[in-house]
Amino acid sequence: MSLISDIPVLDDLDAPRASTVRATGEIQVYLETYGCQMNVSDSEIVASILKENGYGLTGRLEDADVILINTCAIRENAEQKVRRRLAEVRAHKRHNRPDLKIGVLGCMAERLRENLLEQEKLVDLVVGPDAYRDLPRLLGETADTGQAVVNVQLSREETYDDITPIRYDSNGISAFVSIMRGCDNMCSFCVVPFTRGRERSRSITSILDECTSLVDEGYREVTVLGQNVNSYRFRQNGTAVDFPELIHRISLVSDDLRVRYSTSHPKDCSDDLLNVHRERANVCNYIHLPVQHGNTDMLKRMRRTYSRDEYLGLVERARKIVPGIALSTDIIAGFCAETEEEHQDTLSLMREVRYDQAYMFMYSERPDTYAARKFKDDVPEVVKKRRLSEIIALQSQISLQNNKKEIGREHTVLVEGPSRRSNDQLSGRTDTNKMVVFDRRALKKGDYVRVRVHDCTSATLRAEVVDG
Ligand code: 5AD
Ligand code: SF4
């Protein structure tokens, strides 16, 4: 993934997550997840479906009777990474476990369908993101017949709302809660509407029930997930609940529960939503607001439905309604026919907004998208790379400057666990989603602690605990 290494990652494709608990069960499944938070959340649903049907989960690939890889298709390099992993898994099957079953789940399964069986010999299952309920049947069928099986049916209704996810890789403090699936936006560069289908919202009752159970289990933070969360809309008893209302209702589950969400589309970020941020102390003062580009013509070609000025107007509105709100974004470098001046507009927008964090990517053409059909992927690779590195360097500078302004300020941090470098130190995030490291003292995971910042890098704040 093209991303500066010391900026925290939202969807770190380079770090697959493996199933870590070993439950008892006749057939052991090893589940590995690539891609975005939505995939992590989907794997928790898959784990639940499998366990309900008598399968065990193992964190050791060597012990597995079934290996499932939950895949990402958003950029070519994400797919290449999965293919490399599949080659390793196939070698393991050939040399050690001829009876092993290998399954490909998620977006790559949906994009490539039966072709995947041709391309990746020895794959036994191909299962799309709306077909996970069918996994036990499919596993049974391939075990019985020895034939490869495929279900890539997309659904207009499936939200898995009755399934309690097994959060096998969680810190016990922060959880993902999926609220909607699919995307109807059709941004011209994006494969997601093809791999995840049409938008549909999960029932508000099942979302609130899940959040209440999480609080009872000791969780202190939920990140509400969807491809396009602001489109959430659920009709109940003749009235429709929209996204601001949903966030408000989740925030009432417990004052000790922090509420975040991802990903939102700037076109639907309403004043109602911003007011919920202002009024509810536990709705975090942070929004991920992907701009993608700083030039209005490019935004048109990207089919983002807002102009540069409209986006800047939204940022101004957000900062007026919620003073101190932190903003992060996604940016694509080198999209079709991008000129040097258009690229400069991205840099100038970044200087104007001064994001706290950014996730930055080189454009990667995806088959069948509007851009692939209508435009030429004509910015040379070296130019794309250079533009991306200018964007990354600028963001790194801005993140550092923003963090330096934090020195001397106090924040309330939710303790997430030991810091990466030392067991004597803990880490957690501010309300504004900044990572903070501080002395352990008698603190534990799940505590809220008041800290004062004394030092920083572009990615992390260092702080001391404020006594009393
Ligand atoms: N090439 C590069 N980046 C992409 N994204 C989506 N599709 C592509 C693509 N074809 C980025 C967008 C999106 C983020 C999740 O991934 O910035 O917001
Ligand atoms: Fe892709 Fe655009 Fe939908 Fe995001 S909003 S998933 S970028 S089509």
Side-chain angles (χ1 to χ4, degrees):
M1 174 156 136
S2 320
L3 190 79
I4 190 159
S5 60
D6 66 348
I7 288 182
V9 266
L10 184 77
D11 59 346
D12 189 349
L13 305 174
D14 294 334
R17 296 101 170 158
S19 43
T20 52
V21 292
R22 189 188 168 109
T24 48
E26 260 185 277
I27 300 173
Q28 294 294 324
V29 180
Y30 176 86
L31 176 57
E32 193 166 275
T33 308
Y34 290 79
C36 63
Q37 294 165 328
M38 200 69 194
N39 262 13
V40 175
S41 172
D42 277 4
S43 287
E44 296 175 346
I45 287 165
V46 168
S48 179
I49 293 171
L50 292 174
K51 189 151 176 272
E52 278 294 300
N53 285 275
Y55 289 87
L57 270 184
T58 176
R60 284 167 47 88
L61 184 137
E62 315 82 72
D63 295 345
D65 307 300
V66 177
I67 295 177
L68 300 178
I69 314 261
N70 194 358
T71 61
C72 173
I74 198 133
R75 284 169 287 275
E76 173 66 23
N77 60 3
E79 290 199 2
Q80 277 164 1
K81 192 165 201 92
V82 170
R83 286 187 197 278
R84 283 196 295 273
R85 185 58 170 155
L86 278 171
E88 286 168 14
V89 169
R90 280 197 318 259
H92 169 61
K93 174 167 172 158
R94 244 193 326 264
H95 297 132
N96 312 316
R97 287 290 307 266
D99 58 330
L100 180 74
K101 296 289 178 194
I102 302 173
V104 179
L105 314 183
C107 290
M108 246 176 109
E110 193 62 50
R111 190 178 87 69
L112 293 161
R113 302 172 167 230
E114 287 79 6
N115 299 338
L116 203 54
L117 298 177
E118 266 304 298
Q119 294 166 10
E120 305 288 334
K121 304 260 188 282
L122 299 188
V123 166
D124 304 285
L125 292 95
V126 177
V127 186
D130 286 347
Y132 296 147
R133 283 182 205 269
D134 201 21
L135 263 170
R137 187 190 68 79
L138 294 167
L139 280 165
E141 190 176 322
T142 180
D144 290 347
T145 64
Q147 300 290 308
V149 286
V150 179
N151 186 346
V152 286
Q153 188 76 42
L154 285 172
S155 158
R156 283 184 173 247
E157 283 99 38
E158 182 62 273
T159 59
Y160 300 109
D161 67 345
D162 56 322
I163 292 175
T164 307
I166 297 182
R167 298 187 159 84
Y168 57 82
D169 195 23
S170 153
N171 61 4
I173 301 302
S174 307
F176 296 131
V177 174
S178 160
I179 61 155
M180 53 92 60
R181 300 177 73 81
C183 182
D184 288 350
N185 280 334
M186 292 298 206
C187 300
S188 62
F189 50 80
C190 187
V191 77
V192 167
F194 303 93
T195 61
R196 287 190 165 265
R198 304 301 300 268
E199 277 175 12
R200 65 226 103 116
S201 296
R202 179 181 169 189
S203 87
I204 180 153
T205 318
S206 74
I207 296 170
L208 293 176
D209 286 351
E210 187 172 332
C211 293
T212 306
S213 305
L214 286 167
V215 171
D216 293 345
E217 288 165 34
Y219 283 86
R220 290 289 170 264
E221 181 177 78
V222 287
T223 302
V224 163
L225 288 186
Q227 253 77 43
N228 188 22
V229 286
N230 318 62
S231 302
Y232 179 85
R233 205 169 176 79
F234 189 78
R235 289 194 80 78
Q236 199 173 40
N237 307 327
T239 54
V241 176
D242 62 6
F243 186 61
E245 170 77 16
L246 174 72
I247 290 294
H248 188 232
R249 303 264 289 270
I250 294 175
S251 78
L252 296 175
V253 167
S254 164
D255 286 346
D256 282 339
L257 184 71
R258 275 187 171 176
V259 185
R260 304 183 187 276
Y261 55 85
S262 184
T263 285
S264 48
H265 194 296
K267 78 175 163 50
D268 313 304
C269 182
S270 64
D271 285 2
D272 280 354
L273 181 60
L274 296 169
N275 283 325
V276 177
H277 280 272
R278 188 180 57 190
E279 283 157 22
R280 294 292 307 158
N282 58 336
V283 175
C284 290
N285 281 348
Y286 163 66
I287 310 188
H288 182 61
L289 215 49
V291 65
Q292 312 296 0
H293 208 277
N295 175 276
T296 296
D297 283 342
M298 288 294 285
L299 289 168
K300 246 190 221 134
R301 267 176 270 158
M302 289 178 158
R303 295 178 135 190
R304 289 293 286 179
T305 71
Y306 52 83
S307 65
R308 173 189 173 104
D309 285 347
E310 282 163 347
Y311 183 91
L312 289 173
L314 169 60
V315 168
E316 201 181 313
R317 220 160 18 96
R319 288 183 167 151
K320 198 160 148 212
I321 297 177
V322 196
I325 194 160
L327 297 175
S328 63
T329 200
D330 292 344
I331 292 174
I332 298 178
F335 185 61
C336 310
E338 182 185 58
T339 64
E340 206 51 41
E341 291 70 38
E342 287 167 337
H343 164 60
Q344 289 300 326
D345 285 342
T346 292
L347 296 173
S348 74
L349 180 128
M350 292 169 71
R351 280 189 209 100
E352 222 167 300
V353 177
R354 305 192 62 76
Y355 295 104
D356 295 279
Q357 280 165 256
Y359 305 89
M360 299 155 282
F361 314 100
M362 226 161 48
Y363 173 58
S364 162
E365 185 177 86
R366 306 314 290 137
D368 301 326
T369 54
Y370 185 86
R373 285 183 284 115
K374 302 282 179 189
F375 307 137
K376 259 199 165 140
D377 179 14
D378 54 0
V379 177
E381 182 90 358
V382 283
V383 176
K384 280 186 188 172
K385 276 197 179 137
R386 194 252 305 150
R387 289 180 186 167
L388 177 64
S389 58
E390 286 173 10
I391 289 169
I392 290 174
L394 176 59
Q395 183 54 42
S396 191
Q397 207 186 331
I398 293 171
S399 294
L400 182 62
Q401 287 163 354
N402 285 353
N403 282 354
K404 279 190 174 155
K405 286 195 205 135
E406 297 285 347
I407 293 176
R409 288 191 192 153
E410 286 189 16
H411 284 281
T412 301
V413 169
L414 173 61
V415 181
E416 291 178 17
S419 85
R420 260 198 284 181
R421 297 237 171 97
S422 153
N423 225 7
D424 298 332
Q425 302 246 289
L426 295 173
S427 68
R429 276 171 301 151
T430 63
D431 173 79
T432 49
N433 206 36
K434 288 182 192 276
M435 191 53 78
V436 189
V437 174
F438 45 93
D439 283 345
R440 177 182 279 274
R441 299 194 173 191
L443 295 161
K444 57 183 187 322
K445 255 184 3 178
D447 287 344
Y448 282 105
V449 60
R450 199 75 192 150
V451 301
R452 187 180 301 111
V453 179
H454 63 75
D455 199 4
C456 70
T457 65
S458 62
T460 314
L461 303 178
R462 303 205 146 266
E464 62 241 343
V465 175
V466 178
D467 288 308

